[in-house]
């Protein structure tokens, strides 16, 4: 690329050399790409001139001296020195220092504050795609990317018509100097190579390398209630489903988050966990660790019997009156109107005591009322008037208390997580509850993740996470799984959430997990998860080159009569996706249509992806059979099964005119029949094949009945 500035700091041109394309929107380059922001005017003369609100001051003079830009802001009398790192892959910009000149005229004799610094503000031409997470504008030819070179840079973009204003800057409450960002303009097929070089040069987590690994494509099985006694059963089910990774949830192993106290299933502690992980690896499955990491369970030693002072407080109050041991009302100076009234989240920390409140008043005298003292096993204490105390930062489950990310507690827990991860032998990680940090979220979300990530040994082959910010792109290399949906809603939810998320992630050159998917057996409350449901999830995931995640529940596997069929469906789609057997045309069809598709394995062992439709009704007298119809080889095929058992189905057609096959396309015998009807036993998935048009076959089923 060739990037040119005017000497007043305005962008003049950004040329992609290979194509000769101008990447800037030249109609919107009227301001400098550098700026300072004050949340109100601080210099006396400016304070007396302007309103008390945030004000942005753009640079007015820029010169290049060697590999540095000297940027001046006349109105604020600041000079910024920006270090340039010009390479064949990117241009790096780092704010080296900010210097203030005391004015000769006026009363101001001190350096004024700077709240934010704008390192880059570029009006880029909009293209067909915009990856918000990575902050990249791209099409099939050219990509323009502005990204952070460290966790302290704030990255954003605003699309306005045909312009995408790409921003990189920093906030003084986080860090100003020594913070940087990079500009990339390259062929789209070279973008990841450029980012990879940047990651290496700036010692960032290797997000590109992770995305290019073979294991990045693999789906995982998450065993619920895994113990040293049942690990072999879980492995057997995982292999039947074609899963090459297994994710162990910390709650199956420990009773609390924070100190990770072992539960009773792991009596020999790390010895038992290492044995479980070793068995998983010996089965050819990659083990991963599903953690919460930025908060403490309410039963953890960080909370009880003495709460750690590094737990986060979202509001601070001042006692307007002393608190005695038997008081159920706490009087404060400040209004509590912003405090939560959600159950389980109404907790105050007064010294070393945790107090639950029922309600509060929003007019003076301000009071917390209905207070229950000594909650969560803490000790009731007295407190003097004037004492400062706070509202505990409780998550929305509410099971946890969040950490203060400004303290050392996150690093402390990161080391504890790392010790478990390394000693047990885990290879990848899921950062659950990543949203459970305090403001500013753009910084604290990846900060907490990075504190854990940089301690993990070996480096995770990939990571997933519940929430992500721009810098997380290097850490959370595969997008989050969603929480489970009910069987009756799972297809609609897949389109509504997972497909939408996959499209979003794809624009930032990443995949996401089409999970989590529950495993539920049929009951009097639900049909349970059925083969067509898993087929829909897996087909949509394959369309976007994405894996899935399955919750493995041993009791549900055993109680579901279609477990073998369900796991076969998942295994087949996993084989097709990982082997890259889908054409671009097939992916495009699956991405842009609500049509359901069936994965057919023919007698030659080759896969065919075929559109199919559900047959409704299947019988006159039962809803227990699910059937789907499709055309293949000039015949009408129906794949059908019983949702919760086995029953005889009588179809009004001669057995001479139909054929019955198992899922390996091996012919089966009709149970019984005559010239007027055929009776088949419906249980596991099988095929019925007709020499009739689809409409006539649908009519036959509508007149069929369960015997």
């Amino acid at each position: 690329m060739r990037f040119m500035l005017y000497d007043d700091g305005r962008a003049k041109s950004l040329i992609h050399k290979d194509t000769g394309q101008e990447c800037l929107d030249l109609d919107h380059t009227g301001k400098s790409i550098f700026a300072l922001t004050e949340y109100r005017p601080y210099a006396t003369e400016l304070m007396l001139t302007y309103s008390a609100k945030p004000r942005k001051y753009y640079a007015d003079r820029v010169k290049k001296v060697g590999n540095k830009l000297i940027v001046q802001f006349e109105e604020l009398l600041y000079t910024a020195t920006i270090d340039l790192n010009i390479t064949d892959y990117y241009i790096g910009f780092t704010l080296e220092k900010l210097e203030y000149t005391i004015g000769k005229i006026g009363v101001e004799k001190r350096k004024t504050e700077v709240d934010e610094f704008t390192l880059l503000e570029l009006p880029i031409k909009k293209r067909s795609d915009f990856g918000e997470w990575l902050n990249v504008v791209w099409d099939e030819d050219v990509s323009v990317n502005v990204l952070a070179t460290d966790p302290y840079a704030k990255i954003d973009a605003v699309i306005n018509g045909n312009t995408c204003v790409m921003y990189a800057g920093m906030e003084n409450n986080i860090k100003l100097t020594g913070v940087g960002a990079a500009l990339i303009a390259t062929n789209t097929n070279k973008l990841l190579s450029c980012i990879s070089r940047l990651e290496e040069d700036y010692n960032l987590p290797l997000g590109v390398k992770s995305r290019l690994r073979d294991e990045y494509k693999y789906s995982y099985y998450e065993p619920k209630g895994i113990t040293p006694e049942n690990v072999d059963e879980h492995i057997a089910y995982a292999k039947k489903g074609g899963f090459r990774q297994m994710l162990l949830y910390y709650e199956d192993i420990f009773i609390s988050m924070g100190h990770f106290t072992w539960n009773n299933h792991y009596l020999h502690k790390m010895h038992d966990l290492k044995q479980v992980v070793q068995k998983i690896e010996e089965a050819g499955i990659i083990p991963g660790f599903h953690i919460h990491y930025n908060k403490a369970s309410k039963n953890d030693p960080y909370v009880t019997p003495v709460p750690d002072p590094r737990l986060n407080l979202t509001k601070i109050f001042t006692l307007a009156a002393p608190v005695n041991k038997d008081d159920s009302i706490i009087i404060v100076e400040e209004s509590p109107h912003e405090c939560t009234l959600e159950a389980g989240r109404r907790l105050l920390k007064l010294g070393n005591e945790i107090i639950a409140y029922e309600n509060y008043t929003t007019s003076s005298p301000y009071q917390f009322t209905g207070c229950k003292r000594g909650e969560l096993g803490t000790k009731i204490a007295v407190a003097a008037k004037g004492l400062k105390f706070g509202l505990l930062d409780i998550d929305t489950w509410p099971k946890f208390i969040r950490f203060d990310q400004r303290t050392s507690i996150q690093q402390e827990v990161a080391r504890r997580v790392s010790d478990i991860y390394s000693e047990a032998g885990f290879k990848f990680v899921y950062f659950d509850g990543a949203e459970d940090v305090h403001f500013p979220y753009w910084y604290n979300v990846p900060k907490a993740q990075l504190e854990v990530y940089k301690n993990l040994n070996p480096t995770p082959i990939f990571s997933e996470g519940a929430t992500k910010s721009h810098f997380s792109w290097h850490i959370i290399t595969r997008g989050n799984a969603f929480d489970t949906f009910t069987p009756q809603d799972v297809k609609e939810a897949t389109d509504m959430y997972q497909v939408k998320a996959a499209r979003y992630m794809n624009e930032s050159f990443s995949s996401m997990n089409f999970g989590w998917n529950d495993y539920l057996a049929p009951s009097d409350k639900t049909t349970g998860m059925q083969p067509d449901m898993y087929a829909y999830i897996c087909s949509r995931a394959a369309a976007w080159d994405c894996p899935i995640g399955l919750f493995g529940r041993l009791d549900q596997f055993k109680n579901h009569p279609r477990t073998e069929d369900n796991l076969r469906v998942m295994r087949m789609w996993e084989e097709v996706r990982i082997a890259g057997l889908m054409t671009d045309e097939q992916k495009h069809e699956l991405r842009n249509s609500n049509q359901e598709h069936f994965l057919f394995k023919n007698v030659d062992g080759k896969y065919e992806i075929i559109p199919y439709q559900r047959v409704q009704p299947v019988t006159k007298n039962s809803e227990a059979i699910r059937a789907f119809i499709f055309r293949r080889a000039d015949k009408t095929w129906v794949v059908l099964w019983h949702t919760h058992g086995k029953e005889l189905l009588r179809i009004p057609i001669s057995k001479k005119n139909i054929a019955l096959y198992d899922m390996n396309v091996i012919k089966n015998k009709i149970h019984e029949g005559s010239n007027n009807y055929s009776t088949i036993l419906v249980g596991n998935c099988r095929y019925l094949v007709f020499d009739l048009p689809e409409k006539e076959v649908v009519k036959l089923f509508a007149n069929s009945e369960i015997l």
Side-chain angles (χ1 to χ4, degrees):
M1 60 178 159
R2 181 173 67 248
F3 184 37
M4 300 177 67
L5 299 177
Y6 293 104
D7 60 8
D8 62 0
R10 291 179 297 122
K12 181 177 181 180
S13 180
L14 176 60
I15 298 292
H16 176 246
K17 292 181 179 179
D18 279 1
T19 63
Q21 293 185 35
E22 173 61 67
C23 298
L24 292 180
D25 183 347
L26 297 179
D27 294 331
H28 293 83
T29 57
K31 295 180 179 179
S32 172
I33 68 171
F34 309 110
L36 297 173
T37 299
E38 295 181 335
Y39 293 156
R40 70 161 177 85
Y42 298 126
T44 301
E45 287 76 15
L46 297 178
M47 178 184 68
L48 295 171
T49 301
Y50 300 126
S51 297
K53 65 179 184 179
R55 188 171 188 85
K56 200 166 188 176
Y57 302 88
Y58 287 91
D60 52 15
R61 283 176 291 171
V62 177
K63 63 180 178 179
K64 184 173 180 291
V65 180
N67 280 330
K68 298 185 187 300
L69 291 178
I70 309 302
V71 182
Q72 292 182 295
F73 304 81
E74 185 174 8
E75 193 169 18
L76 285 186
L77 301 180
Y78 264 102
T79 299
T81 301
I82 297 173
D83 184 69
L84 296 175
N85 181 19
I86 302 172
T87 76
D88 290 337
Y89 305 91
Y90 59 85
I91 299 175
F93 301 79
T94 302
L95 180 60
E96 183 179 295
K97 59 183 176 180
L98 267 176
E99 298 173 292
Y100 186 76
T101 302
I102 301 295
K104 296 180 180 179
I105 301 174
V107 300
E108 188 63 56
K109 300 299 180 184
R110 57 177 290 277
K111 178 181 178 180
T112 59
E113 295 86 346
V114 171
D115 293 304
E116 297 180 20
F117 187 88
T118 299
L119 190 60
L120 289 172
E121 190 172 82
L122 292 174
I124 302 298
K125 285 182 181 177
K126 185 179 176 182
R127 295 179 182 270
S128 60
D129 293 276
F130 171 60
E132 182 181 45
W133 184 24
L134 181 56
N135 199 49
V136 58
V137 174
W138 62 281
D139 56 25
E140 61 181 11
D141 297 321
V142 177
S143 294
V144 180
N145 185 199
V146 172
L147 70 168
T149 56
D150 55 64
Y152 308 104
K154 184 178 182 180
I155 302 296
D156 205 351
V158 176
I159 295 178
N160 184 7
N162 292 319
T163 307
C164 180
V165 180
M166 307 187 83
Y167 169 88
M170 45 281 260
E171 297 180 359
N172 191 36
N173 63 340
I174 302 298
K175 189 179 181 183
L176 281 183
T177 57
V179 179
L183 171 65
I184 297 172
T186 188
N187 302 80
T188 294
N189 60 10
K190 295 180 180 178
L191 175 64
L192 290 182
S193 297
C194 292
I195 298 174
S196 180
R197 181 60 178 264
L198 181 144
E199 289 178 330
E200 293 174 1
D201 291 350
Y202 286 90
N203 196 29
L204 306 182
L206 302 180
V208 173
K209 182 179 179 181
S210 171
R211 286 168 172 83
L212 297 178
R213 295 186 63 131
D214 289 340
E215 300 94 329
Y216 183 74
K217 299 179 181 179
Y218 299 167
S219 297
Y220 61 68
Y221 171 104
E222 181 164 332
K224 291 302 180 182
I226 190 168
T227 67
E229 290 72 33
N230 65 26
V231 59
D232 293 321
E233 287 185 272
H234 280 295
I235 289 172
Y237 283 116
K239 293 179 79 68
K240 285 182 179 181
F243 293 96
R244 305 186 189 191
Q245 296 170 343
M246 189 177 290
L247 185 65
L248 274 60
Y249 190 26
Y250 86 95
E251 279 197 342
D252 289 326
I253 305 163
F254 307 98
I255 62 173
S256 74
M257 163 61 220
H259 283 78
F260 294 95
T261 306
W262 298 87
N263 69 26
N264 291 333
H265 291 293
Y266 290 79
L267 294 176
H268 301 100
K269 301 180 179 178
M270 182 55 71
H271 172 79
D272 286 348
L273 180 57
K274 288 173 70 173
Q275 190 175 50
V276 167
V277 173
Q278 184 177 349
K279 282 190 173 184
I280 292 168
E281 282 205 283
E282 288 174 350
I285 299 174
I286 302 168
F289 195 21
H290 178 170
I291 55 170
H292 289 260
Y293 59 98
N294 48 19
K295 53 200 174 186
S297 307
K298 289 180 178 178
N299 64 336
D300 190 78
Y302 278 128
V303 178
T304 182
V306 178
D308 194 286
R310 297 168 297 175
L311 299 175
N312 193 48
L313 303 175
T314 59
K315 300 289 179 185
I316 301 297
F317 297 95
T318 308
L319 285 179
V323 175
N324 299 310
K325 288 188 175 182
D326 57 352
D327 287 344
S328 60
I329 293 176
I330 297 176
I331 306 172
V332 295
E333 296 283 353
E334 303 86 356
S335 173
H337 68 278
E338 291 184 326
C339 292
T340 182
L341 288 174
E342 292 182 62
R345 301 185 70 202
R346 303 188 298 265
L347 293 178
L348 302 169
K349 180 177 176 292
L350 182 64
N352 288 329
E353 180 186 0
I354 293 177
I355 301 170
Y357 62 90
E358 186 65 29
N359 211 325
Y360 51 74
T361 63
T362 56
S363 58
S364 185
Y366 301 117
Q367 301 176 351
F368 288 97
T369 60
C371 294
K372 296 179 181 178
R373 308 294 299 278
E375 287 291 285
L376 303 182
T378 59
K379 187 177 180 180
I380 298 174
V382 298
K385 177 182 178 180
L387 180 72
K388 297 283 187 179
F389 70 103
L391 177 69
L392 276 170
D393 191 0
I394 312 297
D395 81 313
T396 54
W397 277 22
K399 293 174 59 175
F400 305 95
I401 302 175
R402 297 170 178 137
F403 297 152
D404 186 340
Q405 293 295 328
R406 295 158 292 200
T407 69
S408 61
I409 192 170
Q410 185 64 73
Q411 294 93 321
E412 189 173 289
V413 172
R415 290 190 291 269
R416 196 173 289 125
V417 170
S418 176
D419 289 344
I420 297 169
Y421 175 94
S422 300
E423 192 171 353
F426 291 115
K427 299 296 188 296
F428 67 97
V429 68
Y430 190 98
F431 288 93
D432 206 348
E435 70 277 10
D436 286 315
V437 294
H438 53 80
F439 189 83
Y441 307 115
W442 69 265
Y443 173 67
N444 281 323
V445 166
K447 173 196 174 294
Q449 294 165 346
L450 185 61
E451 293 291 354
V452 176
Y453 184 91
K454 67 186 180 184
N455 283 283
L456 298 178
N457 185 27
T459 299
I461 57 176
F462 71 90
S463 302
E464 292 180 4
T467 304
K468 50 201 172 289
S469 185
H470 170 76
F471 193 78
S472 300
W473 191 91
H474 308 284
I475 305 167
I476 308 299
T477 56
R478 205 168 77 179
N480 56 289
F482 284 79
D483 286 324
T484 60
F485 301 108
T486 60
Q488 63 267 27
D489 295 328
V490 71
K491 292 181 183 179
E492 182 180 359
T494 297
D495 284 335
M496 186 180 300
Y497 297 109
Q498 278 96 330
V499 169
K500 184 177 180 180
R503 194 182 305 275
Y504 177 88
M505 296 294 290
N506 183 70
E507 290 181 331
S508 289
F509 299 84
S510 304
S511 71
M512 54 83 64
N513 193 313
F514 271 64
W516 292 308
N517 299 291
D518 214 344
Y519 198 87
L520 295 176
S523 69
D524 56 355
K525 297 180 180 178
T526 177
T527 61
M529 290 294 290
Q530 298 293 330
D532 62 293
M533 300 173 187
Y534 289 118
Y536 193 81
I537 295 163
C538 292
S539 65
R540 265 44 193 179
W544 291 96
D545 299 310
C546 290
I548 72 164
L550 178 73
F551 286 165
R553 304 183 188 277
L554 294 180
D555 59 332
Q556 300 297 307
F557 283 137
K558 294 170 183 176
N559 291 333
H560 201 318
R562 300 289 82 82
T563 287
E564 294 294 325
D565 287 312
N566 285 331
L567 294 175
R568 173 184 49 77
V569 166
M570 288 181 261
R571 182 178 67 251
M572 289 169 61
W573 277 105
E574 188 78 354
E575 290 172 1
V576 166
R577 184 176 55 79
I578 290 176
L581 300 180
M582 294 179 65
T583 66
D584 289 340
E585 290 76 15
Q586 287 172 324
K587 291 179 184 179
H588 182 79
E589 180 183 352
L590 287 168
R591 289 181 181 187
N592 297 284
S593 169
N594 290 325
Q595 171 66 56
E596 297 192 45
H597 290 77
F598 180 72
L599 189 58
F600 183 89
K601 192 172 187 179
N602 62 32
V603 291
D604 297 323
K606 294 182 178 180
Y607 288 109
E608 303 172 22
I609 299 175
I610 303 172
Y612 70 165
Q613 307 286 342
R614 187 173 178 186
V615 178
Q616 286 183 299
V618 181
T619 73
K620 295 190 293 185
N621 60 345
S622 175
E623 296 181 356
I625 296 175
R626 292 174 81 88
F628 290 78
I629 192 168
F630 58 93
R631 290 288 293 178
R632 180 183 178 275
D634 295 325
K635 294 183 183 294
T636 297
W637 294 62
V638 175
V639 57
L640 75 168
W641 65 90
H642 198 287
T643 60
H644 57 269
K646 296 180 180 180
E647 288 184 292
L648 291 172
L649 174 66
R650 176 167 289 179
I651 306 173
I653 187 174
S654 170
K655 69 176 185 179
K656 297 178 182 179
N657 296 324
I658 62 172
L660 180 65
Y661 297 90
D662 65 17
M663 299 309 289
N664 294 315
V665 202
I666 296 173
K667 198 166 187 177
N668 292 180
K669 289 184 178 180
I670 304 294
H671 182 76
E672 66 172 347
S674 69
N675 289 330
N676 298 318
Y677 69 88
S678 300
T679 302
I680 62 170
L681 180 64
V682 181
N684 293 336
C685 288
R686 289 200 285 180
Y687 298 117
L688 272 175
V689 182
F690 302 80
D691 257 329
L692 293 170
E694 289 184 62
K695 287 184 179 180
E696 292 188 30
V697 173
V698 170
K699 290 179 182 178
L700 287 175
F701 277 102
N703 291 302
S704 300
E705 59 183 338
I706 292 291
L707 299 182

